[in-house]
Amino acid sequence: MPDRSPRLREALLAAAFTADGLLDLLGAPAYAALARSETVPALRATRGASPLDTLVRLFLLQRPVPHERARAALPLAECMEDGWVVRAGDEVRAAVDVRPYSGPEGQDWYIVSDLGCSVGGAGGIGSREEGVVLGVGGASATLAGITVRTPVASVLDIGTGSGIQALHASQHAGRVTATDLNPRALEFTRLTLALSGAPAADLRLGSLYEPVGTEKYDLIVSNPPFVISPGARLTYRDGGMGGDDLCRTLVQQTGDRLNEGGYAHFLANWQHVEGEEWQNRLSSWVPYGCDAWIVQREVQDVTQYAELWLRDSGDHRTDPAEYAARYDAWLDEFEARRTRSVGFGWITLRKSAAAAAGNPSVVIEEWPHAVEQPLGPAVQAHFARQDYLREQDDAALLAGRFALAAEVVQEQVGLPGAEDPEHVVLRQNRGMRRATKVDAVGAGFAGVCDGTLPAGRILDAIAQLMNEDPVLLRDRTPQAIRLLVEEGFLEPVGSAE
Ligand SMILES: C[S@@+](CC[C@H](N)C(=O)[O-])C[C@H]1O[C@@H](n2cnc3c(N)ncnc32)[C@H](O)[C@@H]1O
């Protein structure tokens, strides 16, 4: 059958069923309430009879609408034949959730998923069917934001779900392969891409790397079913392997699937096990031949974690005894695994020649503070700085020239009225939005860095000003410069001595 989704897309656009159109119709408070899965304000704002009122009620609020009104807003006969909507007496109901989603360049995209699955509401996902396919959640947006978006030939999206990552990838990739264990997810991905006017993807059914064998890619992304749970109940979140084994397997099997220079981005959860440093657990996951940057964004103790996911699946609204039994099972599982808490975060791998030669850059850190999304350019810059630092010994670093990164400010911290600050903090307003404490030399050095003088010469001048021995200062400062470069406060601009 020919793909008729372009006609539906045309109708949706003509009615202004877009992210901007919704904001105009609903107003900011009702629009924001909808993102929290609260539908009452939007119902009040769509009492009119325009095609946009009809489409919002039909696809977002999932209320039946009169047949006549549906026919005024949609190519109705086609939509019924193709399964977008179903007839219910004199009324028409949506068969799927269709949600306007604005692309990074303001593209009018649509995410198609199961009904009632708008993520983020107070009431859980609304469906506890094993194979339910969710729409866009906070995790989906985070992964899309941290992904490096350089033009590439091939992208693999593992666990594609509604197809959101494949949709983003379609804008900068020659071809996109999207896989899922759930056949319904592949169908939703097909609909999401078609309705968004994006090129079709190569859709493959199966677990993790099974459907692609030994094929290699320039970019791999996955927001996998990372939840550590006492049994596989919901395909979209419970990986079905014990503990954090699914995330470990996914990361470990990536080394052989990336082309040289290629990136892989994953969201993951990991166990914090008694008697083990979490950083050691994660560094053991990094595959041979890859550099890695792993950022732990949050840690929850096992009770918080169990409650989070019990609420996510709506279990808190079931019979109290059933809820208690499920909660107990969760804690039994963690006890058996000697797990005290669970880390949430991002894992980025990059295949590199230096890593293959036995000199990988592996940075594992905790950064729970707000960042500037999209973070993709900052992720790429992190690896470029690691490449630079890997090649510089201390002498080369002192011969190098550096510039203070854009929008770094200095904050002086100390008691009010004190003559001198207790310490100085450099703070980034871009990217990771890091802050770091520096001493007087560090602050003075960073302040002078405008890319003209080599680092060593700046240190000599500081030594003179502060009555310090310049040789000693040159000896002890490279480590601090290295850290300021690694964290993106200073950018290398070349070497001059
Ligand atoms: C959290 S959802 C992510 C969906 C989407 N990629 C996003 O970013 O919103 C995880 C997806 O992984 C799929 N999945 C579950 N187990 C899998 C496995 N072993 N291999 C591949 N996909 C799997 C689920 O069906 C689900 O679509």
Side-chain angles (χ1 to χ4, degrees):
M1 190 167 66
D3 178 14
R4 298 191 286 201
S5 44
R7 275 173 48 87
L8 175 54
R9 177 176 169 76
E10 244 171 64
L12 300 183
L13 291 175
F17 186 62
T18 61
D20 288 346
L22 282 181
L23 190 58
D24 282 349
L25 176 73
L26 301 181
Y31 187 78
L34 204 53
R36 301 191 299 269
S37 301
E38 297 292 352
T39 51
V40 174
L43 273 170
R44 293 168 64 87
T46 52
R47 290 173 179 147
S50 73
L52 183 54
D53 288 301
T54 305
L55 292 172
V56 173
R57 286 203 163 211
L58 188 63
F59 286 122
L60 291 185
L61 307 178
Q62 288 152 26
R63 300 293 159 125
V65 298
H67 187 269
E68 280 316 303
R69 280 185 53 186
R71 208 169 54 186
L74 292 166
L76 188 58
E78 282 178 22
C79 285
M80 280 185 184
E81 277 172 35
D82 295 349
W84 296 96
V85 296
V86 288
R87 187 156 191 161
D90 287 342
E91 295 183 315
V92 170
R93 284 178 180 277
V96 291
D97 185 312
V98 177
R99 210 151 280 255
Y101 175 74
S102 182
E105 264 111 49
Q107 299 98 323
D108 289 316
W109 287 343
Y110 296 96
I111 305 294
V112 189
S113 65
D114 265 320
L115 286 177
C117 288
S118 52
V119 190
I125 61 167
S127 166
R128 300 166 76 223
E129 297 289 318
E130 183 191 347
V132 67
V133 176
L134 299 193
V136 176
S140 328
T142 297
L143 178 62
I146 65 171
T147 300
V148 171
R149 302 266 172 220
T150 45
V152 288
S154 57
V155 176
L156 173 63
D157 172 20
I158 298 178
T160 188
S162 64
I164 174 178
Q165 310 301 336
L167 178 57
H168 278 274
S170 70
Q171 306 300 294
H172 63 106
R175 71 189 160 84
V176 176
T177 303
T179 73
D180 208 289
L181 191 62
N182 181 354
R184 300 184 66 249
L186 296 183
E187 181 55 14
F188 279 119
T189 294
R190 187 183 71 73
L191 296 175
T192 288
L193 293 173
L195 198 56
S196 298
D202 176 0
L203 302 171
R204 302 199 200 170
L205 185 65
S207 180
L208 301 183
Y209 284 105
E210 256 170 36
V212 298
T214 56
E215 284 170 29
K216 292 189 181 210
Y217 295 85
D218 298 325
L219 173 66
I220 298 173
V221 291
S222 185
N223 168 13
F226 49 64
V227 179
I228 300 170
S229 55
R233 276 175 67 213
L234 296 163
T235 314
Y236 74 86
R237 62 167 221 199
D238 304 315
M241 292 188 186
D244 52 19
D245 276 355
L246 183 128
C247 290
R248 178 182 56 74
T249 307
L250 180 62
V251 174
Q252 285 180 336
Q253 292 184 350
T254 297
D256 294 339
R257 266 75 177 204
L258 274 180
N259 285 322
E260 183 68 25
Y263 285 91
H265 302 278
F266 305 114
L267 300 186
N269 281 188
W270 44 81
Q271 293 163 230
H272 284 220
V273 176
E274 267 172 51
E276 180 189 81
E277 293 294 334
W278 67 270
Q279 293 94 335
N280 292 345
R281 183 178 194 82
L282 283 163
S283 69
S284 76
W285 292 9
V286 176
Y288 167 78
C290 288
D291 299 316
W293 185 21
I294 300 176
V295 183
Q296 180 166 275
R297 297 284 293 157
E298 191 184 350
V299 180
Q300 290 194 350
D301 71 46
V302 292
T303 61
Q304 293 171 307
Y305 191 80
E307 289 160 25
L308 171 71
W309 296 111
L310 285 165
R311 281 176 181 275
D312 169 80
S313 47
D315 288 313
H316 60 305
R317 287 180 310 216
T318 60
D319 167 46
E322 190 186 328
Y323 175 76
R326 286 198 194 282
Y327 198 151
D328 227 14
W330 222 297
L331 296 185
D332 279 348
E333 172 76 10
F334 282 131
E335 205 169 87
R337 296 185 176 278
R338 297 188 302 114
T339 296
R340 288 285 175 81
S341 48
V342 177
F344 296 61
W346 318 325
I347 299 179
T348 299
L349 304 176
R350 186 193 52 164
K351 184 101 169 194
S352 82
N359 188 17
S361 149
V362 177
V363 176
I364 302 177
E365 63 173 318
E366 184 150 27
W367 186 251
H369 308 292
V371 300
E372 181 198 33
Q373 283 277 34
L375 201 65
V379 172
Q380 195 177 12
H382 164 92
F383 285 95
R385 291 193 302 267
Q386 291 297 320
D387 286 345
Y388 169 83
L389 288 171
R390 209 165 12 194
E391 286 163 10
Q392 316 294 315
D393 60 15
D394 287 356
L397 212 60
L398 290 174
R401 288 179 286 118
F402 302 92
L404 192 64
E407 295 187 45
V408 170
V409 295
Q410 171 180 303
E411 291 169 2
Q412 304 204 339
V413 181
L415 281 177
E419 223 170 83
D420 292 318
E422 274 167 35
H423 60 260
V424 171
V425 170
L426 298 183
R427 187 178 295 283
Q428 300 165 345
N429 283 315
R430 309 297 311 270
M432 289 290 276
R433 295 199 166 120
R434 291 183 194 276
T436 191
K437 245 195 223 179
V438 285
D439 61 11
V441 172
F445 180 82
V448 176
C449 277
D450 62 0
T452 52
L453 281 177
R457 290 232 224 121
I458 297 176
L459 289 181
D460 293 345
I462 292 177
Q464 209 173 20
L465 272 175
M466 299 179 76
N467 266 337
E468 280 213 40
D469 180 340
V471 178
L472 288 183
L473 196 62
R474 275 185 177 242
D475 259 9
R476 72 173 162 90
T477 313
Q479 190 49 33
I481 299 178
R482 213 169 267 284
L483 208 66
L484 288 175
V485 174
E486 178 170 318
E487 296 198 332
F489 290 94
L490 294 179
E491 285 165 358
V493 293
S495 161
E497 269 186 356

